[in-house]
C-alpha cells in the first residue's frame, strides 16, 4: 500500500525561477552597481507565480528595487518588471536586458557625478 502524501506541502518544482542566463544578466548589473557603491546586498524569492530579485542599499532595510519575472504575463505586457522602492513600475517588457536599462541609466549617473 502506498503512503498518502501530505496535502499541504507544496511541490518544490512548482516554482518560478530565473534561468542561468537571466541570473547572469542580473548579477552582471548587480556587480557593476556594487563596484559603483550604489548597491550592497540582494535577496531572491522563488514563488509559484513570480521570481523576485531584490536589491538593497543596506542589508536591514526594504529593497530599493525589485526585478520580477512573471511568466504568465509573457503574452501581454512582458514577463520582466523593474519596481522601485515605492512600488512604482519603472519598466516592463519582454526582454530582460532592455528592462534592466532603466537601472543602467542610474549607474551612468552615479559614475558621472
Amino acid at each position: 500500500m502506498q503512503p498518502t502524501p501530505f496535502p499541504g506541502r507544496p511541490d518544490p518544482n512548482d516554482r518560478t525561477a530565473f534561468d542561468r542566463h537571466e541570473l547572469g544578466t542580473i548579477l552582471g548589473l548587480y556587480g557593476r552597481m556594487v563596484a559603483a557603491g550604489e548597491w550592497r546586498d540582494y535577496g531572491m524569492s522563488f514563488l509559484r507565480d513570480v521570481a523576485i530579485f531584490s536589491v538593497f542599499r543596506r542589508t536591514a532595510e526594504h529593497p530599493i528595487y525589485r526585478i520580477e519575472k512573471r511568466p504568465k504575463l509573457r503574452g501581454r505586457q512582458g514577463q520582466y518588471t523593474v519596481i522601485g522602492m515605492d512600488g512604482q513600475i519603472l519598466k516592463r517588457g519582454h526582454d530582460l536586458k532592455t528592462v534592466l536599462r532603466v537601472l543602467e541609466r542610474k549607474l551612468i549617473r552615479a559614475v558621472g557625478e
Side-chain angles (χ1 to χ4, degrees), residues 60-88:
E61 65 179 27
H62 296 290
I64 54 175
Y65 298 109
R66 287 189 337 257
I67 301 163
E68 295 187 356
K69 175 183 177 182
R70 293 182 183 268
K72 286 186 179 179
L73 297 178
R74 184 180 302 129
R76 296 184 207 137
Q77 306 105 321
Q79 66 179 340
Y80 303 108
T81 309
V82 173
I83 302 171
M85 185 186 303
D86 57 358
Q88 181 180 7

Side-chain angles (χ1 to χ4, degrees), residues 15-62:
R15 293 184 184 170
T16 301
F18 294 105
D19 65 31
R20 185 178 298 229
H21 179 72
E22 293 164 336
L23 208 49
T25 301
I26 293 169
L27 288 173
L29 172 63
Y30 175 79
R32 291 190 302 276
M33 293 299 263
V34 167
E38 293 294 308
W39 296 353
R40 301 233 192 287
D41 200 7
Y42 71 90
M44 291 188 280
S45 300
F46 303 110
L47 308 173
R48 180 179 297 240
D49 296 326
V50 62
I52 304 169
F53 187 94
S54 301
V55 177
F56 300 88
R57 186 165 282 135
R58 289 178 202 84
T59 305
E61 65 179 27
H62 296 290

